[in-house]
Amino acid sequence: MTTIDDVARAAGVSVSTVSYALSGKRPISAATRARIERAVRELGYRPHAGARALASSRTNVLALMAPLRVDVNVGVIMQFVTGVVTRAREFQHDVLLLTQDDLAGVDRVAAGSMVDALIMMDVEAEDPRLPVLRAQRQPSVLIGLPRDPGGLSCVDLDFEAAARSAVDHLSQLGHRSIALVGSPQAVLDRHTTYAQRMVRGFESEARRVGAQAVFEPCESSHAGAVDAVDRVLDRLPEVTALVVHNEVALPAVLATLRERGLDIPRDISLVAVCPQDVATGQPQPLTAVDIPALTIGGVAVDMAMARLERDEPAETRLLAPVLTPRATSAPARA
Amino acid sequence: MTTIDDVARAAGVSVSTVSYALSGKRPISAATRARIERAVRELGYRPHAGARALASSRTNVLALMAPLRVDVNVGVIMQFVTGVVTRAREFQHDVLLLTQDDLAGVDRVAAGSMVDALIMMDVEAEDPRLPVLRAQRQPSVLIGLPRDPGGLSCVDLDFEAAARSAVDHLSQLGHRSIALVGSPQAVLDRHTTYAQRMVRGFESEARRVGAQAVFEPCESSHAGAVDAVDRVLDRLPEVTALVVHNEVALPAVLATLRERGLDIPRDISLVAVCPQDVATGQPQPLTAVDIPALTIGGVAVDMAMARLERDEPAETRLLAPVLTPRATSAPARA
DNA sequence: CTAGCGTATCGAAGCGCTTCGACGATCGAC
DNA sequence: GTCGATCGTCGAAGCGCTTCGATACGCTAG
């Protein structure tokens, strides 16, 4: 292993000069810097991460807790993760991956000084990890919105507004009977707030525009989708529009509607709440409110860095929804 | 931050005694050990990862390079990752996540001593990362099979055998005209060997059992699936069985067959090569060769640890395929 | 001509841990 | 009663880096 000592010797300067040349924390003459850079290149020098962390109490690593179960929406999670990793790299940080259920992991990596900050996905209303996060000296950022952020930064899509904009869009097209096919019951029971915020926005906006509204949770499977659609048709036979907030069930929902003899958008309009690539990857491009997972992941990193580098206080950011009309929404028939 | 010094003082012993008590590398009397453990607990002591890495040249971190693009099969990747993270924890290791394209990342984390070993997914025949991996002092494990492993450990499903067992199963049911709907052309072009091994196994086994065989690549989209199915029906009108090795296109393939008036398994049998949960999560449970992604991820960690702890030499492990007959394969009609 | 300043560099301390060699005490064997 | 092992513990060195204070030098201002 080549160390900073080797570099210093090769460049004919002291160790501290090398350190300052590489970090830029003190002025170094152009000539000296050049000699050092040359030595670094020729020796293939890489600072030892552990030594650096020990001396500077900065690790240049971020922890990311991701739900690695298969029941949740894998695609969206992957995008969050990608967003985090990509943006982290732009800040010279690497990402340590923890599983959602690894409560002890938070303490291990934070108290053990393995990371500079933590990012946590899929937060629940009363998430048991929150107190643990608050106990650490490193800042953390939540993707999602607990009941009480209390000192932790949060970022998420404004699902309430997303639901409202979906209902609004449909209402403006003349629809008066709208159903929400949502997250699985288990997700609601878990008090994952995005699901609840979605329902709240849906119901309040329907009330405001004077539309009939029913909400049905939907398991993330083919059978679950069939069930949910049938329950909707049963509870609200005059339904002319659907808001679907369940990427996994989406294809099955579409298929079931078709099987029930309903044409989209002739008989029934549909607005999905899902990532853009899911919306455009279906047999029919879906009118949808985008879930900008990549962006959200990136913003989470930005927020972590803001606290780290300029120790800005914790804040909550809710991203405004963007609805893109595509092929699946049309005026209600008179 | 509480340090090992604090613990030593609290327990009334020297620093080295604390270290030995915690690592177990030298015998410590039960009484002393108890005092130390008590101090650790009361002070909430956590060893500083960087300091430990510096002193011991062990980081207890594994690097995992995962393809975080969306075009590949996200679900399977997630399972690999989960398998790796879960198993790594059993060896007291954490996982640092790198993106596939981050070639410099390999050098950064390995040469910078951030990790003890590297695991790389989605290996191509002539992967440009291989020389970089070979240049590091840390061992690496590939998930996949390059043309020349040359000193690197490899683990993967035996896709050639998987294809053979699928063809065999169909052949025994009397099918004589079999098509393989496979990976996207882009994956083949990239020389991802699992796709090639699949095709090779498919074609050789079809030849052996004397069945007609055609292979069609298939884009991972609805349109791509429709295309692929139509091309198959066009090239081999008498086809009675399909092997599908493309989880993303799977639902669309099933839907297209139905749309073309073909009933499964009455008119056409189907064997998928996909993770078990995908096979059983379809509208109809699929006869399938399991891709045991979780297991493979775990085995990758085992192999890394074997080299680390008992420095065993590099080896290649191909997991034997398991075909489970379900609802989509039936005897060919006479 | 000198006081004072900014610039470029150096030396040394210290970050928190592991590990090696040493040492006193205890014990069984002769 | 003595000798060597064995056991439990300690002290100190050292892992590779950052950072603080000091220093040396060349300037400019007065």
Side-chain angles (χ1 to χ4, degrees):
Chain A
M1 251 206 61
T2 111
T3 74
I4 198 173
D5 263 296
D6 303 328
V7 175
R9 209 167 311 121
V13 297
S14 78
V15 166
S16 53
T17 302
V18 175
S19 179
Y20 284 123
L22 294 180
S23 71
K25 296 196 178 174
R26 281 198 188 175
I28 297 292
S29 71
T32 308
R33 186 193 314 282
R35 286 212 315 286
I36 291 174
E37 275 163 8
R38 179 142 173 278
V40 166
R41 218 173 318 112
E42 288 180 352
L43 298 174
Y45 167 70
R46 288 278 184 186
H48 185 290
R52 177 172 272 190
L54 180 56
S56 68
S57 31
R58 281 298 227 103
T59 63
N60 278 34
V61 175
L62 253 42
L64 172 62
M65 289 200 100
L68 295 182
R69 345 182 187 81
V70 186
D71 68 319
V72 275
N73 183 343
V74 177
V76 179
I77 291 176
M78 204 72 155
Q79 290 199 27
F80 277 126
V81 174
T82 308
V84 168
V85 173
T86 308
R87 195 99 186 86
R89 281 308 307 144
E90 290 169 19
F91 287 99
Q92 325 278 25
H93 277 248
D94 275 295
V95 172
L96 197 74
L97 186 65
L98 300 178
T99 55
Q100 197 80 336
D101 52 329
D102 191 5
L103 225 183
V106 174
D107 205 54
R108 173 161 35 86
V109 304
S113 297
M114 299 184 73
V115 302
D116 293 337
L118 300 106
I119 297 179
M120 229 186 60
M121 300 180 49
D122 214 30
V123 181
E124 298 169 19
E126 307 287 347
D127 204 296
R129 295 166 300 177
L130 302 188
V132 186
L133 287 178
R134 293 199 187 97
Q136 310 303 148
R137 66 179 180 296
Q138 292 96 334
S140 14
V141 178
L142 312 180
I143 295 182
L145 200 56
R147 191 186 55 71
D148 173 21
L152 302 171
S153 296
C154 305
V155 53
D156 206 352
L157 173 65
D158 188 339
F159 278 97
E160 212 167 321
R164 275 191 257 115
S165 97
V167 170
D168 243 38
H169 173 74
L170 292 167
S171 155
Q172 277 170 26
L173 289 171
H175 296 276
R176 287 286 157 264
S177 296
I178 310 177
L180 169 61
V181 172
S183 306
Q185 189 61 47
V187 172
L188 285 157
D189 289 346
R190 218 193 287 143
H191 298 292
T192 315
T193 63
Y194 68 79
Q196 306 174 319
R197 287 179 279 146
M198 188 75 199
V199 175
R200 197 181 323 137
F202 174 75
E203 289 179 341
S204 73
E205 190 67 5
R207 212 173 305 125
R208 199 183 68 75
V209 302
Q212 292 208 70
V214 311
F215 160 60
E216 277 294 342
C218 175
E219 297 310 305
S220 297
S221 67
H222 189 86
V226 174
D227 274 9
V229 168
D230 284 344
R231 283 199 310 272
V232 164
L233 295 176
D234 188 50
R235 287 178 57 192
L236 193 65
E238 66 275 32
V239 64
T240 64
L242 233 52
V243 178
V244 181
H245 178 210
N246 186 324
E247 301 82 8
V248 182
L250 210 35
V253 167
L254 295 169
T256 307
L257 289 171
R258 206 171 322 119
E259 261 173 37
R260 299 293 177 263
L262 297 169
D263 181 81
I264 307 175
R266 204 195 55 204
D267 304 315
I268 196 158
S269 282
L270 186 147
V271 178
V273 179
C274 68
Q276 191 190 303
D277 59 287
V278 173
T280 56
Q282 302 298 323
Q284 218 176 352
L286 311 180
T287 294
V289 178
D290 184 27
I291 300 184
L294 220 56
T295 307
I296 294 177
V299 170
V301 173
D302 288 343
M303 294 174 79
M305 290 301 157
R307 298 190 53 187
L308 225 43
E309 294 177 353
R310 304 182 291 285
D311 61 3
E312 294 181 6
E315 57 171 334
T316 292
R317 283 173 61 177
L318 291 182
L319 275 51
V322 176
L323 183 147
T324 307
R326 297 199 185 85
T328 57
S329 57
R333 287 185 295 175
Chain B
M1 253 207 59
T2 112
T3 72
I4 198 173
D5 264 296
D6 302 329
V7 175
R9 208 166 313 122
V13 297
S14 77
V15 167
S16 53
T17 303
V18 175
S19 178
Y20 285 122
L22 294 180
S23 71
K25 295 196 178 172
R26 281 199 187 173
I28 298 292
S29 71
T32 308
R33 185 194 314 283
R35 286 213 316 287
I36 291 174
E37 274 162 9
R38 181 144 172 277
V40 165
R41 219 173 317 110
E42 288 181 353
L43 298 174
Y45 167 71
R46 288 279 184 184
H48 186 290
R52 177 171 273 191
L54 181 56
S56 68
S57 33
R58 279 299 225 103
T59 64
N60 277 34
V61 175
L62 253 43
L64 172 63
M65 289 200 101
L68 295 182
R69 346 184 184 79
V70 186
D71 69 318
V72 275
N73 184 343
V74 177
V76 179
I77 292 176
M78 204 73 153
Q79 290 199 26
F80 278 126
V81 173
T82 307
V84 169
V85 173
T86 307
R87 196 96 185 88
R89 283 307 308 143
E90 290 168 21
F91 286 100
Q92 324 279 26
H93 277 247
D94 275 296
V95 172
L96 197 73
L97 186 65
L98 299 177
T99 55
Q100 197 80 335
D101 52 329
D102 191 5
L103 224 182
V106 174
D107 205 54
R108 174 161 35 85
V109 303
S113 299
M114 300 183 73
V115 302
D116 293 338
L118 300 106
I119 297 180
M120 230 187 58
M121 301 180 47
D122 214 30
V123 181
E124 298 168 18
E126 306 287 347
D127 204 295
R129 296 166 299 177
L130 302 189
V132 185
L133 287 178
R134 292 198 187 99
Q136 311 302 148
R137 65 180 179 295
Q138 291 95 337
S140 13
V141 178
L142 312 180
I143 296 181
L145 201 56
R147 190 186 55 72
D148 173 22
L152 302 171
S153 296
C154 305
V155 54
D156 205 352
L157 173 65
D158 188 339
F159 278 97
E160 212 167 322
R164 274 190 258 117
S165 96
V167 170
D168 242 37
H169 173 74
L170 292 167
S171 155
Q172 277 170 27
L173 288 170
H175 297 276
R176 286 286 157 265
S177 296
I178 310 177
L180 169 62
V181 173
S183 305
Q185 188 61 46
V187 172
L188 284 157
D189 289 346
R190 216 192 289 142
H191 298 292
T192 315
T193 62
Y194 68 81
Q196 306 174 319
R197 287 179 278 146
M198 188 75 199
V199 176
R200 196 180 324 138
F202 174 75
E203 289 178 341
S204 73
E205 189 68 4
R207 210 173 306 124
R208 198 183 69 75
V209 300
Q212 292 209 68
V214 310
F215 160 60
E216 278 293 341
C218 174
E219 298 310 304
S220 296
S221 67
H222 189 87
V226 175
D227 274 12
V229 169
D230 284 344
R231 282 200 309 273
V232 164
L233 296 177
D234 187 51
R235 288 178 58 193
L236 193 65
E238 66 274 33
V239 65
T240 63
L242 232 53
V243 178
V244 181
H245 178 210
N246 186 325
E247 301 84 7
V248 182
L250 209 35
V253 167
L254 295 170
T256 307
L257 288 172
R258 206 170 324 119
E259 260 174 36
R260 298 291 176 265
L262 297 169
D263 181 83
I264 307 174
R266 204 197 52 205
D267 304 315
I268 196 159
S269 282
L270 187 147
V271 177
V273 179
C274 66
Q276 191 190 301
D277 58 290
V278 173
T280 56
Q282 303 295 325
Q284 217 176 352
L286 312 180
T287 294
V289 178
D290 185 26
I291 300 184
L294 220 57
T295 306
I296 294 176
V299 170
V301 173
D302 288 343
M303 292 173 80
M305 290 302 159
R307 297 191 52 187
L308 226 43
E309 295 177 352
R310 305 182 291 284
D311 61 6
E312 295 182 3
E315 57 171 335
T316 292
R317 282 174 60 178
L318 291 182
L319 275 52
V322 177
L323 184 147
T324 308
R326 297 199 185 86
T328 57
S329 57
R333 288 185 294 174

Short mmCIF file of all heavy atoms in Angstrom, two decimals, chain A residues 14 16-17 26-29 32 54, chain C residues 7-12 14-16:
data_model
loop_
_atom_site.label_atom_id
_atom_site.label_comp_id
_atom_site.label_asym_id
_atom_site.label_seq_id
_atom_site.Cartn_x
_atom_site.Cartn_y
_atom_site.Cartn_z
N SER A 14 7.03 17.67 2.81
CA SER A 14 6.59 17.02 4.05
C SER A 14 5.19 16.45 3.86
O SER A 14 4.46 16.81 2.93
CB SER A 14 6.56 18.02 5.19
OG SER A 14 5.41 18.81 5.09
N SER A 16 2.57 16.94 5.63
CA SER A 16 1.46 17.89 5.76
C SER A 16 1.27 18.68 4.48
O SER A 16 0.15 19.02 4.11
CB SER A 16 1.71 18.82 6.94
OG SER A 16 2.97 19.44 6.83
N THR A 17 2.34 18.95 3.79
CA THR A 17 2.21 19.67 2.53
C THR A 17 1.38 18.85 1.54
O THR A 17 0.52 19.38 0.84
CB THR A 17 3.60 19.95 1.94
OG1 THR A 17 4.34 20.70 2.89
CG2 THR A 17 3.49 20.74 0.66
N ARG A 26 -4.99 24.77 2.47
CA ARG A 26 -4.02 25.85 2.61
C ARG A 26 -3.38 26.06 1.26
O ARG A 26 -3.28 25.12 0.46
CB ARG A 26 -2.95 25.49 3.65
CG ARG A 26 -3.42 25.66 5.05
CD ARG A 26 -2.24 25.72 6.00
NE ARG A 26 -2.68 25.72 7.38
CZ ARG A 26 -1.85 25.67 8.43
NH1 ARG A 26 -0.55 25.62 8.22
NH2 ARG A 26 -2.33 25.68 9.65
N PRO A 27 -2.92 27.28 1.00
CA PRO A 27 -2.31 27.55 -0.31
C PRO A 27 -0.99 26.80 -0.47
O PRO A 27 -0.19 26.74 0.47
CB PRO A 27 -2.10 29.07 -0.29
CG PRO A 27 -2.10 29.44 1.16
CD PRO A 27 -2.99 28.49 1.84
N ILE A 28 -0.81 26.23 -1.62
CA ILE A 28 0.42 25.52 -1.97
C ILE A 28 0.86 26.05 -3.33
O ILE A 28 0.03 26.25 -4.22
CB ILE A 28 0.14 24.00 -2.07
CG1 ILE A 28 -0.31 23.43 -0.72
CG2 ILE A 28 1.35 23.25 -2.59
CD1 ILE A 28 0.75 23.42 0.35
N SER A 29 2.13 26.29 -3.48
CA SER A 29 2.61 26.88 -4.75
C SER A 29 2.36 25.92 -5.91
O SER A 29 2.35 24.70 -5.73
CB SER A 29 4.10 27.17 -4.65
OG SER A 29 4.81 25.96 -4.64
N THR A 32 5.04 23.14 -6.40
CA THR A 32 4.97 22.06 -5.42
C THR A 32 3.77 21.17 -5.69
O THR A 32 3.86 19.95 -5.70
CB THR A 32 4.86 22.64 -4.00
OG1 THR A 32 5.90 23.57 -3.81
CG2 THR A 32 4.93 21.54 -2.97
N LEU A 54 -10.61 8.66 10.75
CA LEU A 54 -10.14 8.78 12.13
C LEU A 54 -9.63 10.20 12.41
O LEU A 54 -9.95 10.81 13.42
CB LEU A 54 -9.03 7.77 12.38
CG LEU A 54 -8.42 7.75 13.78
CD1 LEU A 54 -9.50 7.53 14.82
CD2 LEU A 54 -7.37 6.67 13.87
P DT C 7 -1.88 35.91 1.10
OP1 DT C 7 -2.55 36.17 -0.19
OP2 DT C 7 -2.62 35.33 2.23
"O5'" DT C 7 -0.59 35.04 0.83
"C5'" DT C 7 0.47 35.56 0.04
"C4'" DT C 7 1.55 34.51 -0.06
"O4'" DT C 7 2.30 34.50 1.19
"C3'" DT C 7 1.02 33.09 -0.27
"O3'" DT C 7 1.78 32.49 -1.30
"C2'" DT C 7 1.24 32.42 1.08
"C1'" DT C 7 2.46 33.15 1.59
N1 DT C 7 2.66 33.20 3.07
C2 DT C 7 3.91 32.93 3.58
O2 DT C 7 4.87 32.68 2.91
N3 DT C 7 3.99 33.00 4.94
C4 DT C 7 2.96 33.29 5.83
O4 DT C 7 3.16 33.32 7.04
C5 DT C 7 1.68 33.55 5.22
C7 DT C 7 0.51 33.88 6.08
C6 DT C 7 1.58 33.50 3.87
P DA C 8 1.36 31.08 -1.92
OP1 DA C 8 1.62 31.12 -3.37
OP2 DA C 8 0.02 30.72 -1.41
"O5'" DA C 8 2.43 30.12 -1.26
"C5'" DA C 8 3.80 30.28 -1.59
"C4'" DA C 8 4.61 29.33 -0.73
"O4'" DA C 8 4.47 29.72 0.66
"C3'" DA C 8 4.16 27.87 -0.80
"O3'" DA C 8 5.31 27.08 -1.11
"C2'" DA C 8 3.60 27.56 0.59
"C1'" DA C 8 4.35 28.56 1.45
N9 DA C 8 3.67 28.98 2.68
C8 DA C 8 2.36 29.35 2.83
N7 DA C 8 2.04 29.69 4.07
C5 DA C 8 3.23 29.52 4.77
C6 DA C 8 3.56 29.72 6.11
N6 DA C 8 2.69 30.14 7.03
N1 DA C 8 4.85 29.48 6.48
C2 DA C 8 5.71 29.06 5.55
N3 DA C 8 5.52 28.84 4.26
C4 DA C 8 4.24 29.10 3.93
P DT C 9 5.21 25.51 -1.31
OP1 DT C 9 6.28 25.11 -2.22
OP2 DT C 9 3.80 25.16 -1.59
"O5'" DT C 9 5.58 24.98 0.13
"C5'" DT C 9 6.93 25.06 0.56
"C4'" DT C 9 7.03 24.79 2.04
"O4'" DT C 9 6.07 25.57 2.78
"C3'" DT C 9 6.72 23.36 2.47
"O3'" DT C 9 7.96 22.65 2.51
"C2'" DT C 9 6.12 23.51 3.87
"C1'" DT C 9 6.05 25.01 4.07
N1 DT C 9 4.81 25.48 4.77
C2 DT C 9 4.91 25.77 6.11
O2 DT C 9 5.92 25.67 6.77
N3 DT C 9 3.72 26.18 6.68
C4 DT C 9 2.51 26.34 6.04
O4 DT C 9 1.52 26.72 6.65
C5 DT C 9 2.49 26.01 4.64
C7 DT C 9 1.23 26.13 3.86
C6 DT C 9 3.64 25.59 4.06
P DC C 10 7.97 21.10 2.93
OP1 DC C 10 9.19 20.50 2.39
OP2 DC C 10 6.65 20.51 2.63
"O5'" DC C 10 8.13 21.21 4.51
"C5'" DC C 10 9.18 21.99 5.05
"C4'" DC C 10 9.09 21.99 6.56
"O4'" DC C 10 7.93 22.72 6.98
"C3'" DC C 10 8.98 20.59 7.16
"O3'" DC C 10 10.00 20.43 8.12
"C2'" DC C 10 7.60 20.55 7.80
"C1'" DC C 10 7.30 22.02 8.03
N1 DC C 10 5.85 22.36 7.94
C2 DC C 10 5.19 22.88 9.07
O2 DC C 10 5.81 23.03 10.12
N3 DC C 10 3.86 23.19 8.97
C4 DC C 10 3.22 23.02 7.82
N4 DC C 10 1.93 23.35 7.75
C5 DC C 10 3.88 22.49 6.66
C6 DC C 10 5.18 22.17 6.77
P DG C 11 10.44 18.96 8.60
OP1 DG C 11 11.91 18.89 8.67
OP2 DG C 11 9.68 17.98 7.80
"O5'" DG C 11 9.88 18.95 10.09
"C5'" DG C 11 10.03 20.10 10.90
"C4'" DG C 11 9.30 19.93 12.21
"O4'" DG C 11 7.92 20.36 12.08
"C3'" DG C 11 9.26 18.48 12.72
"O3'" DG C 11 9.53 18.55 14.12
"C2'" DG C 11 7.83 18.02 12.39
"C1'" DG C 11 7.03 19.33 12.46
N9 DG C 11 5.89 19.41 11.56
C8 DG C 11 5.83 18.97 10.26
N7 DG C 11 4.68 19.22 9.68
C5 DG C 11 3.93 19.87 10.66
C6 DG C 11 2.61 20.37 10.62
O6 DG C 11 1.81 20.35 9.68
N1 DG C 11 2.24 20.95 11.84
C2 DG C 11 3.06 21.02 12.95
N2 DG C 11 2.52 21.61 14.01
N3 DG C 11 4.30 20.56 12.99
C4 DG C 11 4.67 19.99 11.82
P DA C 12 9.58 17.23 15.03
OP1 DA C 12 10.61 17.46 16.08
OP2 DA C 12 9.63 16.03 14.17
"O5'" DA C 12 8.14 17.30 15.73
"C5'" DA C 12 7.61 18.59 16.09
"C4'" DA C 12 6.28 18.39 16.80
"O4'" DA C 12 5.20 18.46 15.82
"C3'" DA C 12 6.13 17.04 17.47
"O3'" DA C 12 5.29 17.21 18.59
"C2'" DA C 12 5.47 16.18 16.40
"C1'" DA C 12 4.51 17.21 15.79
N9 DA C 12 4.12 16.96 14.41
C8 DA C 12 4.84 16.30 13.44
N7 DA C 12 4.22 16.24 12.27
C5 DA C 12 3.03 16.90 12.50
C6 DA C 12 1.94 17.19 11.67
N6 DA C 12 1.88 16.82 10.39
N1 DA C 12 0.89 17.87 12.21
C2 DA C 12 0.96 18.25 13.50
N3 DA C 12 1.94 18.04 14.38
C4 DA C 12 2.95 17.35 13.81
P DG C 14 -1.10 15.79 22.06
OP1 DG C 14 -1.75 16.74 22.98
OP2 DG C 14 -0.18 14.75 22.56
"O5'" DG C 14 -2.23 15.09 21.19
"C5'" DG C 14 -3.02 15.91 20.35
"C4'" DG C 14 -3.84 15.03 19.46
"O4'" DG C 14 -3.05 14.60 18.33
"C3'" DG C 14 -4.31 13.74 20.15
"O3'" DG C 14 -5.66 13.55 19.83
"C2'" DG C 14 -3.44 12.67 19.52
"C1'" DG C 14 -3.30 13.24 18.12
N9 DG C 14 -2.23 12.69 17.32
C8 DG C 14 -1.00 12.24 17.74
N7 DG C 14 -0.27 11.78 16.76
C5 DG C 14 -1.06 11.94 15.62
C6 DG C 14 -0.80 11.62 14.27
O6 DG C 14 0.20 11.13 13.79
N1 DG C 14 -1.88 11.93 13.45
C2 DG C 14 -3.06 12.50 13.89
N2 DG C 14 -3.99 12.74 12.98
N3 DG C 14 -3.31 12.81 15.15
C4 DG C 14 -2.27 12.51 15.96
P DC C 15 -6.63 12.78 20.80
OP1 DC C 15 -7.24 13.74 21.73
OP2 DC C 15 -5.91 11.60 21.32
"O5'" DC C 15 -7.75 12.25 19.82
"C5'" DC C 15 -8.29 13.05 18.77
"C4'" DC C 15 -8.64 12.14 17.63
"O4'" DC C 15 -7.48 11.97 16.80
"C3'" DC C 15 -9.01 10.73 18.09
"O3'" DC C 15 -10.41 10.65 18.27
"C2'" DC C 15 -8.55 9.85 16.93
"C1'" DC C 15 -7.57 10.73 16.13
N1 DC C 15 -6.18 10.20 16.03
C2 DC C 15 -5.60 10.00 14.78
O2 DC C 15 -6.26 10.25 13.76
N3 DC C 15 -4.33 9.53 14.70
C4 DC C 15 -3.64 9.27 15.81
N4 DC C 15 -2.40 8.83 15.68
C5 DC C 15 -4.22 9.48 17.10
C6 DC C 15 -5.47 9.92 17.16
P DG C 16 -10.98 10.11 19.68
OP1 DG C 16 -12.39 10.53 19.74
OP2 DG C 16 -10.03 10.45 20.76
"O5'" DG C 16 -10.95 8.53 19.50
"C5'" DG C 16 -11.65 7.96 18.41
"C4'" DG C 16 -11.19 6.53 18.23
"O4'" DG C 16 -9.80 6.52 17.83
"C3'" DG C 16 -11.28 5.67 19.49
"O3'" DG C 16 -11.96 4.49 19.15
"C2'" DG C 16 -9.81 5.42 19.86
"C1'" DG C 16 -9.14 5.47 18.50
N9 DG C 16 -7.73 5.82 18.54
C8 DG C 16 -7.12 6.71 19.39
N7 DG C 16 -5.84 6.83 19.17
C5 DG C 16 -5.59 5.96 18.11
C6 DG C 16 -4.36 5.66 17.44
O6 DG C 16 -3.24 6.11 17.64
N1 DG C 16 -4.56 4.73 16.42
C2 DG C 16 -5.77 4.16 16.09
N2 DG C 16 -5.77 3.29 15.10
N3 DG C 16 -6.91 4.43 16.72
C4 DG C 16 -6.74 5.33 17.70
#
